[in-house]
């Protein structure tokens, strides 16, 4: 008993080792440490970090010679059509390239901007022989109205109401970080310069002409109870953009998947325009048009697989008619991403549409790693 008592007493009186509280890693600081000197182009190529919002990419030109880009410039007009590729893969799939080409082909009088996110890591190689000329860039450079911009992301957010959201870096810890960045940066681009935003799985079928494509939102279904954020046009300085920017800057939930996209739009439209879900006539904002789902979503998400059926679905006359009358076709990548696009198939609906609307992309289909 005495030995046990002495043992317990010695253990109790033994000085405790003071464990140091290790600081929690800051996601943004880690990002800065990796990117403070260079802007990654791909895993094997980088350039010195520009003091601008980005660089305009050109094939067969050394990246050190690329022109600079600053958001909000005079050429960022309300007429522009823009896309954001936020995965950081430094590449486009065939269907993504088709989306940009089809917009450029049908709207030759409008500037088309493709904003690319810099890869997370890379090996810096600035040798004169290092060029970046992927197939997608060669295709899109054939269109004089297209500019592919490699963004200096940190600077793009700097000085805006979303700088704090970006710089704190909480979004980098979210399992939805790519989706959340996409939701935020499209609204930021509207805030900076206005224009028509399109998701990278929207194929353009006709020119976007007329007043209906200005200051417009698009329903995603025939029930008219869901407004998507895959197609948006707002003029620079529009109140809706300002309200969205404020909401996104004040409320962020890393676990919420759609709140910062369609749900945020629904909340703002209900608050300032008195819009009731399912009743487009309740919209009291004269400067916000609500377009039918048939303009861009003629095929519902749940039936998107039919677009990729190898044996075709050409007997579905009603669906084919809706596609023909539409201005764009949403491929619903979130559901159909694993469905292959076979551009040589004479019966696959999406292949037929691709051959008609993005012929240069189709001609180089074999060069794309992802369809």
């Amino acid at each position: 008993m005495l030995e046990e008592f002495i043992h317990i007493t010695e253990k109790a009186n033994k000085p405790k080792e003071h464990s140091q509280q290790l600081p929690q890693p800051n996601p943004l600081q880690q990002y800065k440490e990796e990117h403070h000197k260079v802007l990654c182009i791909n895993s094997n190529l980088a350039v010195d970090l520009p003091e601008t919002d980005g660089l305009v990419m050109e094939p067969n030109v050394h990246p050190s010679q690329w022109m600079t880009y600053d958001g909000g410039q005079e050429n960022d007009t309300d007429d522009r059509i823009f896309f954001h590729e936020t995965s950081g893969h430094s590449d486009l799939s065939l269907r993504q390239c088709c989306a940009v080409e089809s917009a450029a082909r049908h709207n030759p009088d409008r500037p088309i901007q493709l904003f690319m996110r810099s890869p997370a890591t890379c090996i810096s190689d600035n040798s004169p022989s290092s060029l970046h000329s992927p197939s997608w860039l060669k295709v899109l450079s054939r269109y004089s109205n297209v500019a592919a911009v490699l963004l200096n992301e940190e600077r793009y957010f700097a000085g805006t109401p979303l700088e704090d959201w970006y710089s704190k870096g909480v979004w980098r810890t979210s399992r939805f970080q790519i989706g959340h960045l996409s939701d935020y940066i499209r609204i930021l681009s509207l805030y900076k310069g206005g224009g028509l935003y399109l998701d990278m799985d929207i194929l353009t079928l006709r020119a976007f002409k007329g007043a209906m494509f200005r200051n417009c939102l698009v329903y995603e279904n025939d029930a008219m109870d869901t407004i998507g954020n895959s197609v948006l046009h707002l003029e620079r300085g529009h109140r809706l953009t300002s309200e969205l920017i404020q909401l996104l800057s004040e409320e962020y939930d890393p676990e919420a998947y759609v709140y910062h996209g369609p749900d945020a739009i629904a909340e703002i439209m209900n608050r300032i325009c008195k819009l009731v879900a399912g009743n487009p006539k309740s919209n009291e904002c004269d400067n916000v048009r609500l377009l039918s789902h048939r303009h861009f979503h003629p095929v519902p998400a749940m039936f998107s697989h039919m677009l990729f059926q190898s044996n075709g679905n050409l007997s579905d006359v009603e669906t084919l008619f809706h596609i023909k009358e539409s201005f764009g076709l949403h491929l619903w990548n979130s559901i159909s991403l694993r469905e292959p696009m076979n551009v040589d198939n004479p019966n696959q609906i999406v292949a037929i549409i691709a051959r008609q609307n993005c012929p240069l992309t189709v001609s180089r289909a074999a060069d794309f790693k992802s369809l």
Side-chain angles (χ1 to χ4, degrees), residues 261-277:
D263 286 0
I265 292 175
E267 180 176 326
I268 296 298
M269 286 297 294
N270 176 261
R271 175 156 55 84
I272 69 174
C273 301
K274 311 304 179 186
L275 180 67
V276 177

Side-chain angles (χ1 to χ4, degrees), residues 16-51:
K16 294 184 179 179
E17 296 180 2
H18 294 285
S19 59
Q20 292 184 344
Q21 186 76 23
L22 296 176
Q24 294 296 316
N26 183 315
L28 180 68
Q29 186 60 36
Q30 292 177 343
Y31 180 84
K32 283 182 176 180
E33 290 174 357
E34 296 173 357
H35 291 71
H36 73 290
K37 293 182 179 179
V38 299
L39 186 65
C40 294
I41 299 170
N42 57 36
S43 59
N44 299 310
L45 184 61
V47 292
D48 293 337
L49 194 67
E51 297 182 358

Side-chain angles (χ1 to χ4, degrees), residues 85-267:
E85 206 298 309
T86 54
S87 71
H89 291 159
S90 73
D91 204 0
L92 296 187
S93 67
L94 186 145
R95 65 172 75 181
Q96 288 177 320
C97 189
C98 183
V100 181
E101 182 189 353
S102 62
R105 187 169 184 268
H106 287 291
N107 299 275
D109 56 339
R110 300 179 68 164
I112 311 294
Q113 293 175 328
L114 166 63
F115 294 107
M116 299 288 291
R117 189 184 188 197
S118 175
T121 58
C122 60
I123 301 173
S124 180
D125 182 359
N126 292 316
S127 62
S129 61
S130 298
L131 299 177
H132 184 63
S133 301
S135 294
W136 65 265
L137 188 55
K138 291 178 180 177
V139 167
L140 298 182
S141 66
R142 298 277 298 276
Y143 291 87
S144 60
N145 59 330
V146 175
V149 179
L150 182 65
L151 278 181
N152 179 0
E153 207 170 81
E154 184 179 345
R155 195 180 188 284
Y156 195 68
F157 277 87
T160 74
L162 298 183
E163 179 181 10
D164 191 51
W165 172 84
Y166 182 86
S167 63
K168 285 183 177 179
V170 176
W171 60 275
R172 296 183 188 280
T173 67
S174 171
R175 54 185 170 148
F176 307 123
Q177 65 162 292
I178 294 177
H180 288 174
L181 175 62
S182 179
D183 288 337
Y184 271 68
I185 203 167
R186 72 186 68 180
I187 302 302
L188 178 60
S189 291
L190 288 173
Y191 173 82
K192 282 174 168 280
L196 175 64
Y197 167 80
L198 297 177
D199 265 358
M200 298 207 67
D201 56 352
I202 302 282
L203 303 188
T204 299
L205 308 182
R206 286 196 279 166
F208 306 133
K209 293 186 179 296
M212 69 176 174
F213 291 111
R214 295 192 64 81
N215 297 322
C216 65
L217 306 175
V218 184
Y219 283 110
E220 287 193 341
N221 54 26
D222 56 2
M224 295 187 176
D225 56 7
T226 303
I227 296 175
N229 68 338
S230 58
V231 181
L232 303 165
H233 182 279
L234 292 170
E235 297 173 348
R236 187 201 304 253
H238 196 284
R239 182 188 175 187
L240 183 57
T241 305
S242 301
E243 294 284 346
L244 283 168
I245 282 282
Q246 182 176 348
L247 177 65
L248 294 177
S249 66
E250 295 175 352
E251 300 184 26
Y252 176 64
D253 182 356
E255 294 302 315
Y257 180 57
V258 298
Y259 174 70
H260 315 94
D263 286 0
I265 292 175
E267 180 176 326

